[in-house]
Amino acid sequence: MVVIRAWTWATSLFGFVLLAAPGDPARAQAPLADAPGASAPSTAASKPATTVEQLAERLRAMEEMNQNLARELESTKREHQEQMGRILERFEALQARPDADGLEPEPAEPDIGEAPSSNGDGRDDVSFDPVPDYTEGQFAPFTPAPGYRSSDIKSGGKRALRGVFGPGFQFQTKDEEYRLQIHYESQIEARIWSQSDQTPANSGIFLPRQRIFFSGNITKPVEYELAVNRGSGGTFNLLNAFINLHFNDRFQFRFGRFFTPLPYDQYAISNYWLPTPERSLFTTNLSLNRQFGLMAWGYLFDKRLDYAAGVFNGSRNSFESLDNGVDFVAYFNARPFQQSEALEFARFLNVGSSVAFGRQDQSPVPLSFRIGGGSPNTDSPGAGTTPFLILNRDVVERGDRLLGSVHAAYFNRGLSLIGEWQYGYGSYASAARPSGDPVPFSGFYVTGGYFLTGEHVEQRSRLYPKRPLIPTKKGGARGIGAWELVARASELRLGEQIFSSGFADPNLWSNRAATTEVGVNWYWNEYMKIYGFWLHGEFGDPVLYRPGGLQKSADMFWLRFQLYF
């Protein structure tokens, strides 16, 4: 309306000027020839001419009118600017506020309905990353699973959350400053030992792991994780609880309870991505597992070198500090040919080492050394596992302890090869030898796996079968899943000092055990996996497996169902 009014005044003024223009007195004074009632041109001569005084009066009237118009235009201009300002403020408020349903407008999303493996060589695009994930898969990118779309949660006037599934349930704000991920791991298994009369170890159905993970970030640099775990005896305990300061991939700082960076098959490979049901003999019996500590870690040289170094309480798989000492732990892993074009076959070769040193004064963990076990603990010997060495009840860890390993891992198309040599010593004491004696440790393992169904791997991580048995994409075609053949040889040896110093009974136990495992992994989809394995254990000397009974070997059929999302 303001513009229309201004235009009307301007056209009226322009018409007035034309009528009053002195340059054409005849046109200014005479009516138009074709106007109604017009007279002959000769009559115009009888009309008196306009005087100078009349023109001056008209000019003064025009000037006064122009001034009035200028003042009104200035007033309407300010009003118009104020109105536009209010409109823009309202528009910005509507953009920032959820829509009428309380939801943010859903952004355009890429087509995520196709299977993740789509390039020519059959490689899984989703997993095309040779860099190990040292967060146990808890800080995965915020990406919906194939076939799922994101949805929004009503904000109630606060920051709205976008929610997706895959992997796990994930919620985050639009700016990614705040995020929560929820993951769940369930393992249900049957262990059938050939020796049906073992005691206290036994066959049966077990729940080795039932875990819930909560992780995310509060502002982008501050990451967190809290995980609870079904512990021994059916109780729940703390698994992980840490904060990770992530300002840069090259340097991160983690503190709380988490995996110590030793050895490779513990730190670089999460249990749900292992090629075998459990880790090597050395790792399951002697690794430091989870502890409270402080650790700096990161990736260097275009992520061709991974490193970690920290200080930890020292007590294996502990929930608190049990003595005044600490352990210093360091780890590195390199992929020297990761970006090589000439040696493309060696791009996914990993080599590295890890070491831990500290002084101990505490009850021994483990008290029982066994085959078929998981994490080191004080069980004697633990249900479903077979012991080959149990320490005497008066034995404690006292003195220096050194643990180390040198590892290599190679991945090429469907092939996984992982090997590690492990070494060290621990100091033990008893009532008869209170000062403590060192006992050397040594071990190794070699693991090989190959996918028969064409899947490719660059590291041990989540696998997306080419033809899943149970598709996670709506309308996806069923297939046979992914099938992987796996074999492993593993050995652990303790020095003869474990017997000569009186820490264990040589008539009942052995200081050496070796296992051979052969089996198959069947991946139904990226969340479900079945292990089917046969384990054969050999002992350096016959060991007690029931009162009055000794055995030189043990065999077990192992069937495990695993769900992790």
Side-chain angles (χ1 to χ4, degrees):
M1 291 299 295
V2 174
V3 175
I4 295 174
R5 288 166 55 192
W7 173 255
T8 303
W9 292 331
T11 53
S12 299
L13 180 61
F14 182 71
F16 180 81
V17 172
L18 288 177
L19 290 174
D24 191 359
R27 185 174 181 180
Q29 297 172 23
L32 296 175
D34 58 355
S39 56
S42 60
T43 61
S46 62
K47 219 170 161 60
T50 303
T51 64
V52 174
E53 290 77 11
Q54 291 174 331
L55 288 175
E57 183 64 27
R58 290 179 182 179
L59 288 173
R60 282 193 296 271
M62 289 174 58
E63 184 178 0
E64 183 178 355
M65 182 182 294
N66 287 339
Q67 291 175 352
N68 291 335
L69 286 173
R71 284 193 294 270
E72 189 166 353
L73 284 172
E74 183 65 25
S75 175
T76 56
K77 178 181 177 182
R78 287 194 300 269
E79 180 182 347
H80 173 71
Q81 289 176 339
E82 292 173 357
Q83 290 176 347
M84 288 300 297
R86 287 193 293 270
I87 291 172
L88 290 174
E89 290 175 359
R90 180 64 175 165
F91 179 74
E92 292 173 354
L94 288 173
Q95 277 191 320
R97 196 189 70 179
D99 60 20
D101 295 327
L103 304 178
E104 292 181 1
E106 184 169 308
E109 295 187 11
D111 182 7
I112 54 176
E114 296 301 321
S117 179
S118 59
N119 54 23
D121 63 1
R123 184 180 59 232
D124 291 339
D125 288 342
V126 172
S127 64
F128 180 63
D129 186 358
V131 181
D133 178 9
Y134 298 109
T135 68
E136 296 188 83
Q138 300 307 308
F139 298 101
F142 187 72
T143 305
Y148 292 83
R149 290 183 62 82
S150 65
S151 60
D152 295 331
I153 297 178
K154 292 183 179 181
S155 62
K158 300 182 180 180
R159 289 176 179 258
L161 291 177
R162 291 189 61 210
V164 300
F165 176 82
F169 296 96
Q170 306 186 49
F171 309 95
Q172 75 174 23
T173 56
K174 189 175 182 180
D175 58 9
E176 302 181 359
E177 288 287 339
Y178 302 92
R179 178 171 62 164
L180 169 65
Q181 298 186 52
I182 303 173
H183 299 274
Y184 172 61
E185 178 187 11
S186 175
Q187 292 180 346
I188 305 168
E189 67 181 17
R191 295 173 177 234
I192 303 173
W193 291 93
S194 60
Q195 300 84 346
S196 59
D197 56 347
Q198 284 193 106
T199 245
N202 58 274
S203 302
I205 297 175
F206 303 93
L207 298 176
R209 293 176 179 90
Q210 298 293 317
R211 296 171 174 177
I212 301 176
F213 301 85
F214 302 91
S215 60
N217 54 273
I218 300 297
T219 69
K220 289 183 180 180
V222 182
E223 299 171 340
Y224 64 88
E225 182 182 326
L226 171 66
V228 293
N229 171 60
R230 177 197 174 275
S232 59
T235 60
F236 279 83
N237 57 35
L238 184 67
L239 183 72
N240 295 331
F242 64 81
I243 294 174
N244 187 65
L245 302 181
H246 187 175
F247 294 99
N248 191 291
D249 286 345
R250 292 186 293 272
F251 181 82
Q252 303 178 50
F253 188 71
R254 184 183 299 181
F255 50 95
R257 187 178 194 264
F258 50 90
F259 260 143
T260 58
L262 175 142
Y264 178 85
D265 67 334
Q266 173 184 278
Y267 184 55
I269 307 176
S270 300
N271 75 82
Y272 25 83
W273 296 325
L274 287 168
T276 52
E278 296 294 347
R279 296 179 169 94
S280 65
L281 282 176
F282 189 98
T283 303
T284 55
N285 285 285
L286 290 171
S287 74
L288 300 180
N289 206 267
R290 291 175 171 87
Q291 296 183 10
F292 285 91
L294 311 172
M295 182 178 77
W297 68 288
Y299 306 97
L300 302 175
F301 308 115
D302 297 326
K303 293 191 174 182
R304 286 178 290 179
L305 176 67
D306 324 324
Y307 75 92
V311 178
F312 298 86
N313 279 343
S315 305
R316 286 187 181 93
N317 208 22
S318 58
F319 295 95
E320 58 188 7
S321 179
L322 301 180
D323 59 44
N324 292 322
V326 295
D327 275 15
F328 299 92
V329 187
Y331 166 95
F332 82 91
N333 178 60
R335 290 169 298 283
F337 308 110
Q338 180 174 298
Q339 299 179 0
S340 173
E341 296 182 0
L343 298 174
E344 187 174 356
F345 68 92
R347 290 177 61 190
F348 309 122
L349 171 66
N350 294 254
V351 292
S353 181
S354 54
V355 65
F357 180 79
R359 186 168 183 83
Q360 315 302 314
D361 189 2
Q362 61 211 359
S363 298
V365 177
L367 180 66
S368 169
F369 294 79
R370 51 199 175 159
I371 64 172
S375 303
N377 58 45
T378 57
D379 288 352
S380 179
T385 65
T386 294
F388 65 92
L389 175 66
I390 297 179
L391 301 178
N392 295 333
R393 287 294 177 179
D394 64 340
V395 174
V396 297
E397 275 192 279
R398 182 174 297 155
D400 292 341
R401 181 180 66 198
L402 172 70
L403 299 173
S405 73
V406 178
H407 68 262
Y410 177 68
F411 307 101
N412 188 8
R413 302 177 70 84
L415 177 66
S416 298
L417 290 175
I418 308 170
E420 197 160 6
W421 172 62
Q422 299 144 325
Y423 63 91
Y425 63 86
S427 298
Y428 295 92
S430 65
R433 304 180 76 89
S435 60
D437 288 340
V439 176
F441 310 134
S442 64
F444 76 90
Y445 71 89
V446 177
T447 305
Y450 187 79
F451 281 94
L452 302 176
T453 45
E455 286 76 15
H456 291 183
V457 292
E458 288 81 30
Q459 58 162 309
R460 298 302 301 192
S461 61
R462 188 179 300 277
L463 183 93
Y464 292 81
K466 285 176 163 296
R467 294 171 289 276
L469 179 69
I470 302 178
T472 56
K473 172 192 171 184
K474 294 180 180 179
R478 293 180 180 271
I480 63 172
W483 290 78
E484 181 185 24
L485 288 179
V486 179
R488 180 176 69 185
S490 180
E491 181 180 288
L492 172 61
R493 185 188 299 267
L494 288 78
E496 290 291 340
Q497 295 88 336
I498 201 76
F499 295 133
S500 62
S501 297
F503 302 138
D505 189 345
N507 298 312
L508 302 178
W509 308 114
S510 172
N511 65 333
R512 175 187 172 274
T515 58
T516 302
E517 297 162 80
V518 178
V520 62
N521 294 323
W522 184 17
Y523 300 79
W524 290 12
N525 52 38
E526 63 267 35
Y527 304 121
M528 291 180 283
K529 176 182 180 182
I530 291 181
Y531 299 83
F533 274 75
W534 168 73
L535 179 149
H536 174 72
E538 290 278 352
F539 311 117
D541 298 289
V543 300
L544 186 70
Y545 75 98
R546 63 173 174 80
L550 299 175
Q551 62 181 358
K552 191 74 162 45
S553 64
D555 294 272
M556 178 183 68
F557 174 70
W558 207 340
L559 182 65
R560 173 181 291 181
F561 181 88
Q562 174 180 287
L563 170 67
Y564 173 69
F565 62 81

